[in-house]
Each structure stands twice: as structure tokens, then as C-alpha cells.
Amino acid sequence: MDLNSIYSEIIMEHNASHHNKRHIEGADVVEQGHNPSCGDEIELELKINDNIIEDAAFTGVGCAISQASTSIMIDLIKGKTVDEAKHIIETFLGMIKRKITDEKQLEILEDALALKNISNMPARVKCAVLAWHTLDQSLNKHNP
């Protein structure tokens, strides 16, 4: 099985899984994300305690890439500090923009590496980064 097939499988698994698609009772931060070019919409909810992202979840609709990207992102940030999550966001966006290409730096992205080749499909980039920009806005509002 080649790397592209593995990456496609990861995206489809996260799109089909609904383990992160739910509401959080008493969320500390709720942020809306919208991609007007294709209609993807998410509502990201975070539970943050002592600067640690204890829980994260989302609701919304969108294409497989936006839904998978959101789920993958949530798996990555749970249990991380706000600063660690911001570093993960910067690394992911740097990967998509092809500004970060060092495999060692990209290792922290784990399953999010499956979205690396999205940068070759400009129309799909906004789908992949929607959740990440929404998370960045959420964290900036929570901890300006």
C-alpha cells in the first residue's frame, strides 16, 4: 500500500468517525467557522482548564476533507496546553503553505500529515484549514 492510499484511508476513517462530533456541556469557548467558497460550516467547542485543553468537539457540515481535518485536529490538541496547540496550528498551516517541509518538524502532526498533499489542490486548501483557523481564533479569544 503506497503512502497516498494510507493518507486517503486516514481521511476517510476520520470523516466516517463521529467520536469528536458532539457538543460539550459547559464549553469554555465556542467558535463558528465558515468556508463560503464551498459551504463548510463548523462550530468548535473547547473545554480549557488551567491552560490545558481538556476536551474539544465540533458540530457542523462539510466535505470529507473539512470534517476529517477537524476530527484529526481535535485528536491532536486534547490534553495539550494552549501554547502547544498554537504550535501545532502553526506547524499545520506551515505544512499546507509549504513553508515547513522538514519531516522532523512535521512529526508532531501525526495523522494530520495525511493532509499534506492538499496543498497541491488549491480549491481544497480552505476545506483543510477551516478548523485550524477556527481553533486559532478560539484560543486567541480565550487567552489573548
Coordinates of all heavy atoms in Angstrom, one line a residue, residues 33-117:
G33 N -16.9 28.5 12.5 CA -16.0 28.6 11.3 C -16.9 28.3 10.1 O -17.7 27.5 10.1
H34 N -16.6 29.1 9.0 CA -17.4 29.0 7.8 C -16.5 29.2 6.6 O -15.6 30.1 6.6 CB -18.5 30.0 7.8 CG -19.3 30.0 6.5 ND1 -20.2 29.0 6.2 CD2 -19.4 30.9 5.5 CE1 -20.8 29.3 5.1 NE2 -20.3 30.5 4.6
N35 N -16.6 28.4 5.6 CA -15.9 28.5 4.3 C -16.9 28.8 3.3 O -17.6 27.9 2.7 CB -15.2 27.1 4.0 CG -14.5 27.2 2.7 OD1 -14.5 28.2 2.0 ND2 -13.8 26.1 2.4
P36 N -17.1 30.1 2.9 CA -18.1 30.5 2.0 C -17.9 29.9 0.6 O -18.9 29.8 -0.2 CB -18.0 32.0 2.0 CG -16.7 32.4 2.6 CD -16.3 31.2 3.4
S37 N -16.7 29.6 0.2 CA -16.4 29.1 -1.1 C -17.0 27.7 -1.4 O -17.3 27.4 -2.5 CB -14.9 29.1 -1.5 OG -14.2 28.2 -0.6
C38 N -17.2 26.9 -0.3 CA -17.9 25.6 -0.6 C -19.0 25.3 0.4 O -19.6 24.2 0.3 CB -16.8 24.5 -0.5 SG -16.1 24.2 1.1
G39 N -19.2 26.1 1.4 CA -20.3 25.9 2.3 C -20.0 25.1 3.6 O -20.9 24.8 4.4
D40 N -18.7 24.7 3.8 CA -18.4 24.0 5.0 C -18.6 24.9 6.2 O -18.3 26.1 6.2 CB -16.9 23.6 5.0 CG -16.5 22.6 3.9 OD1 -17.4 21.9 3.5 OD2 -15.3 22.6 3.6
E41 N -19.2 24.4 7.2 CA -19.5 25.1 8.5 C -19.2 24.2 9.7 O -19.7 23.1 9.7 CB -21.0 25.6 8.5 CG -21.3 26.6 7.5 CD -22.8 27.1 7.7 OE1 -23.4 26.7 8.7 OE2 -23.2 27.9 6.9
I42 N -18.5 24.8 10.6 CA -18.3 24.0 11.9 C -18.5 24.9 13.1 O -18.4 26.2 13.0 CB -16.9 23.4 12.0 CG1 -15.8 24.5 12.0 CG2 -16.6 22.4 10.9 CD1 -14.4 24.0 12.5
E43 N -18.8 24.3 14.2 CA -18.9 25.0 15.4 C -17.9 24.2 16.3 O -18.2 23.0 16.6 CB -20.3 25.0 16.0 CG -20.4 25.8 17.3 CD -21.8 25.9 17.8 OE1 -22.2 25.0 18.6 OE2 -22.4 26.9 17.5
L44 N -16.9 24.9 16.7 CA -15.8 24.2 17.5 C -16.1 24.6 19.0 O -16.3 25.8 19.3 CB -14.4 24.7 17.1 CG -13.2 24.1 17.8 CD1 -13.1 22.6 17.5 CD2 -12.0 24.8 17.3
E45 N -16.0 23.6 19.9 CA -16.2 23.8 21.3 C -15.0 23.3 22.1 O -14.5 22.2 21.8 CB -17.5 23.1 21.8 CG -18.8 23.5 21.1 CD -20.0 22.8 21.5 OE1 -20.0 22.1 22.6 OE2 -21.0 22.8 20.8
L46 N -14.6 24.1 23.0 CA -13.4 23.7 23.8 C -13.7 23.8 25.3 O -14.4 24.7 25.7 CB -12.2 24.7 23.5 CG -11.7 24.8 22.1 CD1 -10.7 25.9 22.0 CD2 -11.2 23.5 21.6
K47 N -13.1 22.9 26.0 CA -13.1 22.9 27.5 C -11.7 23.1 27.9 O -10.9 22.2 27.7 CB -13.7 21.6 28.1 CG -13.9 21.7 29.5 CD -15.2 22.4 29.8 CE -15.5 22.3 31.3 NZ -16.4 23.4 31.8
I48 N -11.4 24.3 28.5 CA -10.0 24.6 28.9 C -9.9 24.8 30.4 O -10.7 25.6 30.9 CB -9.5 25.8 28.1 CG1 -9.6 25.6 26.6 CG2 -8.1 26.2 28.5 CD1 -9.3 26.8 25.8
N49 N -9.0 24.1 31.0 CA -8.8 24.2 32.4 C -7.4 24.3 32.8 O -6.6 23.5 32.3 CB -9.4 23.0 33.1 CG -9.5 23.2 34.6 OD1 -9.4 24.3 35.2 ND2 -9.8 22.1 35.3
D50 N -7.0 25.4 33.5 CA -5.6 25.6 33.8 C -4.7 25.6 32.6 O -3.6 25.0 32.6 CB -5.1 24.6 34.9 CG -5.7 24.8 36.2 OD1 -6.0 26.0 36.5 OD2 -5.8 23.9 37.0
N51 N -5.2 26.2 31.5 CA -4.4 26.4 30.3 C -4.2 25.0 29.5 O -3.4 24.9 28.6 CB -3.0 27.0 30.5 CG -2.6 27.8 29.3 OD1 -3.4 28.4 28.6 ND2 -1.3 27.8 29.1
I52 N -5.0 24.0 29.9 CA -4.9 22.7 29.2 C -6.3 22.5 28.5 O -7.3 22.7 29.1 CB -4.7 21.5 30.2 CG1 -3.5 21.7 31.1 CG2 -4.7 20.2 29.5 CD1 -2.2 21.3 30.5
I53 N -6.2 22.1 27.3 CA -7.4 21.8 26.5 C -7.9 20.4 27.0 O -7.3 19.4 26.5 CB -7.2 21.8 25.0 CG1 -6.7 23.2 24.6 CG2 -8.4 21.4 24.2 CD1 -6.1 23.3 23.2
E54 N -8.8 20.4 27.9 CA -9.3 19.1 28.4 C -10.2 18.3 27.5 O -10.2 17.1 27.5 CB -10.1 19.4 29.7 CG -9.2 19.8 30.9 CD -10.0 19.9 32.2 OE1 -11.2 19.9 32.2 OE2 -9.3 19.9 33.2
D55 N -11.0 19.1 26.7 CA -11.9 18.4 25.8 C -12.1 19.4 24.6 O -12.0 20.6 24.7 CB -13.2 18.1 26.4 CG -14.0 17.0 25.7 OD1 -13.5 16.5 24.7 OD2 -15.1 16.7 26.1
A56 N -12.4 18.8 23.5 CA -12.7 19.6 22.3 C -13.7 18.7 21.4 O -13.6 17.5 21.4 CB -11.5 19.9 21.5
A57 N -14.6 19.4 20.8 CA -15.5 18.7 19.9 C -16.1 19.7 18.9 O -15.8 20.9 19.0 CB -16.7 18.2 20.8
F58 N -16.8 19.1 17.9 CA -17.4 20.0 16.9 C -18.7 19.5 16.4 O -19.0 18.3 16.5 CB -16.4 20.2 15.7 CG -16.3 19.0 14.7 CD1 -16.9 19.2 13.5 CD2 -15.7 17.9 15.0 CE1 -16.9 18.1 12.6 CE2 -15.6 16.8 14.1 CZ -16.2 16.9 12.9
T59 N -19.5 20.4 15.8 CA -20.6 20.0 15.1 C -20.6 20.8 13.8 O -19.8 21.7 13.6 CB -21.9 20.4 15.8 OG1 -21.9 21.8 16.2 CG2 -22.1 19.5 17.1
G60 N -21.4 20.4 12.8 CA -21.4 21.1 11.5 C -21.4 20.2 10.4 O -21.5 18.9 10.5
V61 N -21.4 20.8 9.2 CA -21.4 20.0 8.0 C -20.3 20.5 7.0 O -19.9 21.6 7.1 CB -22.8 20.2 7.3 CG1 -23.9 19.6 8.1 CG2 -23.1 21.7 7.0
G62 N -20.0 19.6 6.1 CA -19.0 19.9 5.2 C -18.5 18.7 4.4 O -18.9 17.6 4.7
C63 N -17.5 18.9 3.6 CA -16.9 17.9 2.8 C -16.1 16.9 3.6 O -15.8 17.3 4.8 CB -16.1 18.4 1.6 SG -14.6 19.3 2.2
A64 N -15.7 15.8 3.1 CA -14.9 14.8 3.8 C -13.6 15.4 4.3 O -13.2 15.1 5.4 CB -14.6 13.6 2.9
I65 N -13.0 16.3 3.5 CA -11.7 16.9 3.9 C -11.9 17.8 5.1 O -11.1 17.7 6.1 CB -11.0 17.6 2.8 CG1 -10.6 16.6 1.7 CG2 -9.8 18.5 3.3 CD1 -10.0 17.2 0.4
S66 N -12.9 18.7 5.1 CA -13.1 19.6 6.3 C -13.4 18.8 7.5 O -12.9 19.1 8.6 CB -14.1 20.7 6.0 OG -15.4 20.1 6.0
Q67 N -14.3 17.8 7.4 CA -14.7 17.0 8.6 C -13.6 16.2 9.1 O -13.4 16.2 10.3 CB -15.9 16.1 8.2 CG -17.1 16.9 7.7 CD -17.8 17.7 8.8 OE1 -18.5 17.2 9.6 NE2 -17.6 19.0 8.7
A68 N -12.8 15.6 8.2 CA -11.7 14.8 8.7 C -10.6 15.6 9.3 O -10.0 15.3 10.4 CB -11.1 14.0 7.5
S69 N -10.3 16.8 8.7 CA -9.3 17.7 9.2 C -9.7 18.2 10.6 O -8.8 18.2 11.5 CB -9.1 18.9 8.3 OG -8.1 19.7 8.7
T70 N -10.9 18.5 10.8 CA -11.4 18.9 12.1 C -11.2 17.8 13.2 O -10.7 18.0 14.3 CB -12.9 19.3 12.1 OG1 -13.0 20.3 11.1 CG2 -13.3 19.9 13.4
S71 N -11.6 16.6 12.8 CA -11.5 15.4 13.7 C -10.1 15.1 14.1 O -9.7 14.9 15.3 CB -12.2 14.2 13.1 OG -12.1 13.1 14.0
I72 N -9.2 15.1 13.1 CA -7.8 14.9 13.3 C -7.2 16.0 14.2 O -6.4 15.7 15.2 CB -7.0 14.9 11.9 CG1 -7.4 13.6 11.1 CG2 -5.5 15.0 12.2 CD1 -6.9 13.7 9.7
M73 N -7.5 17.2 14.0 CA -7.0 18.3 14.8 C -7.5 18.2 16.2 O -6.6 18.3 17.1 CB -7.6 19.7 14.2 CG -7.2 20.9 15.0 SD -8.1 22.3 14.6 CE -9.7 21.9 15.4
I74 N -8.7 17.8 16.5 CA -9.2 17.6 17.8 C -8.4 16.5 18.5 O -8.0 16.7 19.7 CB -10.7 17.4 17.8 CG1 -11.4 18.7 17.5 CG2 -11.2 16.8 19.2 CD1 -12.9 18.5 17.3
D75 N -8.2 15.4 17.8 CA -7.4 14.3 18.5 C -6.0 14.8 18.9 O -5.5 14.4 19.9 CB -7.2 13.2 17.5 CG -8.5 12.3 17.4 OD1 -9.4 12.5 18.2 OD2 -8.6 11.5 16.5
L76 N -5.4 15.7 18.1 CA -4.1 16.2 18.3 C -4.0 17.2 19.5 O -3.0 17.2 20.2 CB -3.5 16.9 17.1 CG -2.9 16.1 16.0 CD1 -2.6 17.0 14.8 CD2 -1.7 15.4 16.5
I77 N -5.1 18.0 19.7 CA -5.0 19.0 20.7 C -5.5 18.7 22.1 O -5.1 19.3 23.1 CB -5.7 20.3 20.2 CG1 -7.2 20.1 20.1 CG2 -5.0 20.9 19.0 CD1 -8.0 21.3 20.0
K78 N -6.3 17.6 22.2 CA -6.8 17.2 23.5 C -5.6 16.9 24.4 O -4.7 16.1 24.1 CB -7.7 16.0 23.4 CG -9.1 16.3 22.9 CD -9.9 15.0 23.0 CE -11.2 15.2 22.2 NZ -12.0 13.9 22.2
G79 N -5.7 17.5 25.6 CA -4.6 17.2 26.6 C -3.4 18.1 26.5 O -2.5 18.1 27.3
K80 N -3.4 19.0 25.4 CA -2.3 19.9 25.2 C -2.5 21.2 25.9 O -3.7 21.6 26.1 CB -2.1 20.1 23.7 CG -1.8 18.9 22.9 CD -0.4 18.4 23.1 CE 0.1 17.3 22.1 NZ -0.5 16.0 22.1
T81 N -1.4 21.9 26.2 CA -1.6 23.3 26.6 C -2.0 24.2 25.5 O -1.9 23.8 24.3 CB -0.3 23.9 27.2 OG1 0.7 24.0 26.2 CG2 0.3 23.0 28.3
V82 N -2.5 25.4 25.8 CA -2.8 26.3 24.7 C -1.6 26.6 23.8 O -1.7 26.7 22.6 CB -3.5 27.6 25.3 CG1 -3.6 28.7 24.3 CG2 -4.8 27.3 26.0
D83 N -0.5 26.8 24.5 CA 0.7 27.1 23.7 C 1.1 26.0 22.8 O 1.6 26.2 21.6 CB 1.9 27.5 24.6 CG 1.7 28.9 25.2 OD1 0.9 29.7 24.7 OD2 2.4 29.2 26.2
E84 N 1.0 24.7 23.3 CA 1.3 23.6 22.5 C 0.3 23.5 21.3 O 0.8 23.2 20.1 CB 1.2 22.3 23.3 CG 2.4 22.1 24.3 CD 2.1 20.9 25.2 OE1 1.0 20.7 25.6 OE2 3.1 20.3 25.6
A85 N -0.9 23.8 21.5 CA -1.9 23.7 20.4 C -1.6 24.8 19.4 O -1.7 24.6 18.2 CB -3.3 23.9 21.0
K86 N -1.2 26.0 19.9 CA -0.8 27.1 18.9 C 0.4 26.6 18.0 O 0.4 26.9 16.9 CB -0.5 28.4 19.6 CG -1.8 29.0 20.1 CD -1.5 30.4 20.8 CE -2.8 31.0 21.2 NZ -2.6 32.4 21.7
H87 N 1.3 26.0 18.7 CA 2.5 25.5 17.9 C 2.0 24.4 16.9 O 2.5 24.4 15.7 CB 3.5 24.9 18.8 CG 4.7 24.3 18.1 ND1 5.6 25.1 17.4 CD2 5.2 23.1 18.0 CE1 6.5 24.3 16.9 NE2 6.3 23.1 17.3
I88 N 1.1 23.6 17.2 CA 0.6 22.6 16.3 C -0.1 23.3 15.1 O 0.0 22.9 14.0 CB -0.3 21.6 17.0 CG1 0.5 20.7 18.0 CG2 -1.1 20.7 16.0 CD1 -0.3 19.8 18.9
I89 N -0.9 24.3 15.4 CA -1.6 25.1 14.4 C -0.6 25.7 13.4 O -0.7 25.6 12.2 CB -2.5 26.2 15.0 CG1 -3.6 25.6 15.8 CG2 -3.0 27.1 13.9 CD1 -4.3 26.7 16.7
E90 N 0.4 26.3 14.0 CA 1.4 27.0 13.1 C 2.1 25.9 12.2 O 2.4 26.2 11.1 CB 2.5 27.7 14.0 CG 2.0 28.9 14.7 CD 3.0 29.4 15.7 OE1 4.2 29.1 15.7 OE2 2.5 30.2 16.6
T91 N 2.4 24.8 12.8 CA 3.1 23.7 12.0 C 2.2 23.2 10.9 O 2.6 23.1 9.8 CB 3.5 22.6 13.0 OG1 4.4 23.1 14.0 CG2 4.3 21.5 12.2
F92 N 0.9 23.0 11.2 CA 0.0 22.5 10.2 C -0.2 23.5 9.1 O 0.0 23.2 7.9 CB -1.4 22.2 10.8 CG -2.4 21.7 9.8 CD1 -2.4 20.4 9.4 CD2 -3.3 22.6 9.2 CE1 -3.3 19.9 8.5 CE2 -4.2 22.1 8.2 CZ -4.2 20.8 7.9
L93 N -0.4 24.8 9.4 CA -0.6 25.8 8.4 C 0.7 26.0 7.6 O 0.7 26.2 6.4 CB -1.0 27.1 9.0 CG -2.4 27.1 9.7 CD1 -2.7 28.4 10.3 CD2 -3.5 26.7 8.7
G94 N 1.9 25.9 8.3 CA 3.2 26.0 7.6 C 3.3 24.8 6.6 O 3.9 25.0 5.5
M95 N 2.9 23.6 7.0 CA 2.9 22.5 6.1 C 2.1 22.7 4.8 O 2.5 22.5 3.7 CB 2.5 21.2 6.8 CG 2.4 20.0 5.9 SD 1.7 18.5 6.7 CE -0.1 19.0 6.8
I96 N 0.8 23.2 5.1 CA -0.1 23.4 4.0 C 0.4 24.5 3.0 O 0.3 24.4 1.8 CB -1.5 23.8 4.5 CG1 -2.1 22.6 5.3 CG2 -2.4 24.2 3.4 CD1 -2.4 21.3 4.4
K97 N 1.1 25.5 3.6 CA 1.6 26.6 2.8 C 3.0 26.2 2.2 O 3.6 27.0 1.5 CB 1.7 27.9 3.6 CG 0.4 28.4 4.0 CD 0.6 29.6 4.9 CE -0.7 30.1 5.5 NZ -0.5 31.2 6.5
R98 N 3.5 25.0 2.5 CA 4.8 24.5 2.1 C 5.9 25.4 2.6 O 7.0 25.4 2.0 CB 4.9 24.5 0.6 CG 3.9 23.5 0.0 CD 4.1 23.4 -1.5 NE 3.1 22.5 -2.1 CZ 2.7 22.6 -3.3 NH1 3.2 23.5 -4.1 NH2 1.8 21.8 -3.8
K99 N 5.7 26.0 3.8 CA 6.8 26.8 4.4 C 7.6 25.9 5.4 O 8.7 26.2 5.7 CB 6.2 28.0 5.2 CG 5.7 29.1 4.2 CD 5.1 30.2 5.0 CE 4.6 31.3 4.0 NZ 4.0 32.4 4.7
I100 N 6.9 24.8 5.8 CA 7.6 23.9 6.7 C 7.6 22.5 6.0 O 6.6 22.0 5.7 CB 6.9 23.7 8.1 CG1 6.9 25.0 8.8 CG2 7.6 22.6 8.9 CD1 6.1 25.0 10.1
T101 N 8.8 22.1 5.6 CA 8.9 20.8 4.9 C 9.8 19.8 5.6 O 9.8 18.7 5.2 CB 9.5 21.1 3.5 OG1 10.8 21.8 3.6 CG2 8.6 22.0 2.6
D102 N 10.4 20.2 6.7 CA 11.3 19.3 7.4 C 10.4 18.3 8.1 O 9.6 18.5 9.0 CB 12.1 20.1 8.5 CG 13.0 19.3 9.4 OD1 13.2 18.1 9.0 OD2 13.4 19.8 10.4
E103 N 10.7 17.0 7.7 CA 9.9 15.9 8.3 C 9.9 15.8 9.8 O 9.0 15.4 10.4 CB 10.3 14.6 7.6 CG 10.1 14.5 6.1 CD 8.6 14.5 5.8 OE1 7.8 14.0 6.5 OE2 8.3 15.1 4.7
K104 N 11.1 16.1 10.3 CA 11.2 16.1 11.8 C 10.3 17.1 12.5 O 9.6 16.8 13.5 CB 12.7 16.4 12.2 CG 13.1 16.0 13.5 CD 13.3 14.5 13.6 CE 13.9 14.1 14.9 NZ 13.5 12.7 15.2
Q105 N 10.2 18.3 11.9 CA 9.2 19.3 12.5 C 7.8 18.9 12.3 O 6.9 19.2 13.1 CB 9.4 20.6 11.7 CG 10.6 21.4 12.2 CD 10.7 22.8 11.5 OE1 11.2 22.8 10.4 NE2 10.1 23.8 12.0
L106 N 7.5 18.2 11.2 CA 6.1 17.8 10.9 C 5.6 16.6 11.7 O 4.4 16.3 11.7 CB 6.0 17.5 9.4 CG 6.2 18.7 8.4 CD1 6.2 18.3 7.0 CD2 5.2 19.8 8.7
E107 N 6.5 15.9 12.3 CA 6.2 14.7 13.1 C 5.1 14.9 14.1 O 4.2 14.1 14.4 CB 7.4 14.1 13.8 CG 8.3 13.3 12.9 CD 9.5 12.7 13.6 OE1 9.6 12.9 14.8 OE2 10.3 12.1 12.9
I108 N 5.0 16.1 14.7 CA 4.0 16.4 15.7 C 2.6 16.4 15.2 O 1.7 16.3 15.9 CB 4.3 17.8 16.4 CG1 4.1 19.0 15.5 CG2 5.6 17.8 17.1 CD1 4.0 20.3 16.2
L109 N 2.5 16.4 13.9 CA 1.1 16.5 13.2 C 0.5 15.1 13.2 O -0.7 15.0 12.9 CB 1.2 17.1 11.9 CG 1.7 18.6 11.8 CD1 1.8 19.0 10.4 CD2 0.7 19.4 12.6
E110 N 1.3 14.0 13.4 CA 0.7 12.7 13.4 C -0.2 12.5 12.2 O 0.2 12.6 11.0 CB 0.1 12.4 14.7 CG 1.0 12.5 15.9 CD 0.4 12.3 17.2 OE1 -0.8 11.8 17.3 OE2 1.0 12.6 18.2
D111 N -1.5 12.1 12.4 CA -2.4 11.8 11.3 C -2.7 13.0 10.4 O -3.1 12.9 9.3 CB -3.8 11.3 11.9 CG -3.8 9.9 12.2 OD1 -2.7 9.2 12.0 OD2 -4.8 9.4 12.7
A112 N -2.5 14.2 10.9 CA -2.7 15.4 10.1 C -1.7 15.5 8.9 O -2.0 16.2 7.9 CB -2.5 16.7 10.9
L113 N -0.7 14.7 8.9 CA 0.2 14.5 7.8 C -0.5 14.0 6.5 O -0.1 14.2 5.4 CB 1.4 13.6 8.1 CG 2.5 14.3 8.9 CD1 3.5 13.2 9.4 CD2 3.3 15.3 8.1
A114 N -1.6 13.3 6.8 CA -2.4 12.8 5.7 C -3.0 13.9 4.8 O -3.3 13.7 3.6 CB -3.6 12.0 6.2
L115 N -3.0 15.2 5.3 CA -3.5 16.3 4.6 C -2.4 17.1 3.9 O -2.7 18.1 3.2 CB -4.3 17.2 5.5 CG -5.5 16.5 6.1 CD1 -6.0 17.3 7.4 CD2 -6.6 16.5 5.1
K116 N -1.2 16.6 3.9 CA 0.0 17.3 3.4 C -0.2 17.6 1.9 O 0.1 18.7 1.4 CB 1.2 16.5 3.6 CG 2.5 17.2 3.1 CD 3.7 16.3 3.4 CE 5.0 17.0 3.1 NZ 6.2 16.1 3.4
N117 N -0.7 16.7 1.1 CA -0.8 16.9 -0.3 C -2.0 17.7 -0.8 O -2.2 18.0 -1.9 CB -0.8 15.5 -1.1 CG 0.5 14.9 -1.0 OD1 1.6 15.5 -0.9 ND2 0.6 13.6 -1.0

